[in-house]
Amino acid sequence: ASQSVCTIGGNVAFNAGGVHCLKYGMTSNHVLGIKAVLADGEVVHLGGDSLEGVGPDLPGLFVGNEGTFGIALELTLRLIARVERYKTVLAAYRSLQAAGDAVSMIVARGLLPGALEIMDPLAIQATEAAAHAGYPLDAGALLIVELEGEAVEVEADFAGLLEVLRQSGAYAIRPAQSDGERMLIWKGRKSAFSAVGRLTPQYIVQDGVVPRSHLGAALARISQLSQEYGVPVANVFHAGDGNLHPLIFYNARTPEELHKAEEIASQILHLCIELGGSITGEHGVGLEKRAYLPQMFSETDMAAMTRLRQAMDPKEIANRGKMLAVNDELGTMNDEPRRRNGAGPIKPAAAAASKSVRPASVAEVQEAVRSFERIALRGGGTKPGLAATGADVTVLDMGGLSGIVAYEPDEFVFTALAGTPLAEVAALLAGHGQYLPFDPPFVTANATLGGAVAAGLSGPRRYRYGGVRDFIIGVRFVDGRGDLVTGGGKVVKNAAGFDLPKLMVGSLGRLGALVELSFKVFPQPPAMATLRADYTTLDAALESMASLTRQPLDIEAIDLAPGAAGASLWVRIGGRAEILPARGQRLQSLLGDAQWLAADDEAAHWRALGEFSWAAGCAALVKTPLNALQVRALDEKLAGLGATRRYSVAGNVAWIALPRADQLPALESALADLNLGGVLVRGSASQPLLGVRSGEPFYRRVKKVLDPAGRFGDL
């Protein structure tokens, strides 16, 4: 909402959000590459210009560090095509509770709005006086809902939305009749913070998050606090992701008023923590909320974050004192082994006494990590090329940690143990009309949730909403000390602490043993359809693919396969069954001579891709991130190696199958020539990463913090 005055660097520093986060994610979801100078002067390059990556998600860790690591210099951002159609509606309710219930009903209907915003009477009064947006002054609450996407689908969804609003008890429903009306509705919402200045000389704005299902309880408690202290509080918030923004009035000339306002602000943060939320959704921790961070995270978690900050900033000069207390406030940190997390005493590390251990609890994982010098982690065994190898390595079979810990369908959130099979997760979600939008591969081959995160692998459908990094919201892992470390949380919007969940994506088991994971999920499109177009040359297929990516189309997947005589393009769409034919005709008009796959063939085609049936019998399977402009040059080299290859995610991922293992050195050389990197998913090599790697100095600092003795091996 502050886009007219804020900077890109500021958004990155705080992992800022806004009204569109439920559907599109926060700043970190759109940062692909970072050039930064760390606090000791070293310049690092993290990530690149592909939607995908290899190795730990280092850009994900840097985003939201609040300036405690250093300064971002240049950023590479993901852009998306402009939306074709917006449909915005203003609904008035007699109470905040009724408006909050309407949000739950919208989500339960399977709709995924671009924005869901609520304002209370004080905010309505101030905003209407400033913006003259036509807000009804007698409303107990206003709900702004915006749908966006392809015109034909938005129109159909909007009819359903209006029905839900009527059923939810809205006494006035006002759809925007023009772009001008839509912009006026949003002008009011975006000017709310400044408009409240008409009602009070000063105010404190909070930024806590609660699960959507607890919005009513949170708002009732805030109202109670307002009455108890005799202090007005205006509420403006992102209802879609539970991000509260209570504005607490006070007059700085009266110290007593300031004290009361601060007391209310403090109790609101305690309330967010008690309800399973976060102390900040987008504004950061800074100084104001630093004391509350240890209430969200354990002493061990805080120590891990402090060591990470010190690794990037040994002298603690970068934004000193923000988010984390500095060393002279903490006292010298003791890195000596201690009893932690109830796991028992630490044993001296021993050489591998057993080739395989199957822990049945988190405590047993901690014990195992502390007991062996070298450890390799195993999930479902579907990606053997990623595992650490060696005669002295003990394998931790994580299959013993399996099961769903919690699932809240109305929240779009679930938590599961790392050894849980993806097939089990998919079946559970499907029963509630939901799915994992990052489309993990090897589902039917018994791949696990932890393995999908550690490998950082996503499938073709990640094209629409993002990869595994964009949907993981919480993580618990055992680091190389045997400590149980927690990062993130269980709400869809959270900017508290360093983003350890993203860091663990693609970590390949080298930074810690994942034990528990939390994800956000989305409604599953009820129907799918796929169009195949054949081209006489690869260049023609690439040109057609580039044209598609610039269109305002809601496409699930775009895959390209070179052949002996040209190339084929597969384009998948999903949505309401009654709308797909109209959307399909439009897509077909863009592709020209193309054919629809039969319904049974459609599902089978993508299922086979997810299991890599086309690469059966290959000696090595490699994933290489790139972008569409690099496909032509890479394909020439791969053709020379006789490799079978597919380009997925609109040219952002190359899947390369080599017929012989002895071709890996030649492939690595080819990738290096093009400044590309890769990860060996299946096959045998001394190290899983090939070609060029970004962020090596930054990774070394992280590795030293989380696995100082190198128990998990190296990349």
Side-chain angles (χ1 to χ4, degrees), residues 110-455:
L111 297 172
L112 186 62
L116 275 164
E117 299 289 300
I118 290 180
M119 302 170 66
D120 77 356
L122 274 176
I124 296 167
Q125 176 187 342
T127 299
E128 182 59 20
H132 307 291
Y135 292 171
L137 295 177
D138 63 340
L142 284 182
L143 173 63
I144 302 173
V145 189
E146 184 165 270
L147 301 179
E148 54 188 58
E150 285 189 50
V152 63
E153 190 154 36
V154 169
E155 293 293 345
D157 284 346
F158 195 63
L161 172 62
L162 294 179
E163 180 184 346
V164 172
L165 294 178
R166 286 190 290 268
Q167 293 172 351
S168 67
Y171 74 87
I173 301 173
R174 194 185 91 197
Q177 300 298 323
S178 65
D179 286 343
E181 284 192 25
R182 172 180 172 266
M183 296 308 295
L184 190 58
I185 289 173
W186 282 115
K187 179 183 178 182
R189 167 59 186 90
K190 292 191 175 187
S191 65
F193 281 19
S194 58
V196 167
R198 292 170 172 263
L199 305 181
T200 177
Q202 287 89 27
Y203 61 82
I204 295 173
V205 58
Q206 270 300 5
D207 172 44
V209 181
V210 298
R212 272 191 306 269
S213 58
H214 294 315
L215 273 173
L219 292 168
R221 178 58 179 151
I222 292 171
S223 176
Q224 183 181 2
L225 289 170
S226 175
Q227 294 174 14
E228 287 177 2
Y229 283 87
V231 175
V233 178
N235 288 283
V236 183
F237 56 95
H238 309 310
D241 43 40
N243 191 183
L244 301 169
H245 288 316
L247 284 69
I248 308 161
F249 294 14
Y250 73 95
N251 188 331
R253 295 181 179 180
T254 308
E256 198 174 289
E257 286 193 21
L258 173 59
H259 177 70
K260 286 182 178 181
E262 289 178 331
E263 280 288 318
I264 294 175
S266 175
Q267 293 202 41
I268 290 173
L269 292 183
H270 285 298
L271 175 66
C272 291
I273 296 171
E274 290 170 7
L275 294 176
S278 170
I279 60 174
T280 175
E282 56 191 8
H283 297 176
V285 175
L287 288 174
E288 178 195 6
K289 300 181 181 179
R290 198 179 72 180
Y292 301 92
L293 200 61
Q295 297 176 37
M296 279 188 65
F297 297 104
S298 71
E299 179 184 348
T300 302
D301 306 332
M302 295 298 296
M305 285 192 281
T306 298
R307 285 194 295 268
L308 280 170
R309 189 270 309 277
Q310 291 171 341
M312 309 304 167
D313 179 16
K315 296 182 179 180
E316 297 180 327
I317 61 172
N319 229 13
R320 182 176 175 84
K322 300 296 178 68
M323 191 195 296
L324 300 169
V326 294
N327 210 33
D328 54 10
E329 294 175 284
L330 286 170
T332 303
M333 294 190 62
N334 182 7
D335 278 342
E336 292 300 313
R338 298 171 289 155
R339 291 181 60 138
R340 301 179 178 96
N341 308 308
I346 300 173
K347 297 179 180 180
S354 170
K355 297 305 291 183
S356 181
V357 175
R358 187 180 172 90
S361 68
V362 173
E364 289 183 14
V365 175
Q366 293 179 265
E367 179 76 7
V369 169
R370 293 169 175 171
S371 299
F372 301 105
E373 289 182 352
R374 292 289 309 282
I375 295 166
L377 302 169
R378 182 185 185 277
T382 58
K383 299 171 279 290
L386 307 179
T389 58
D392 61 341
V393 173
T394 296
V395 175
L396 290 194
D397 181 348
M398 302 301 290
L401 267 72
S402 178
I404 306 297
V405 175
Y407 177 36
E408 298 288 342
D410 290 345
E411 296 289 343
F412 290 172
V413 168
F414 78 91
T415 300
L417 297 176
T420 308
L422 287 168
E424 181 180 334
V425 174
L428 175 68
L429 297 177
H432 295 272
Q434 297 175 352
Y435 77 124
L436 290 170
F438 61 88
D439 194 20
F442 302 114
V443 173
T444 60
N446 201 40
T448 63
L449 193 64
V453 172

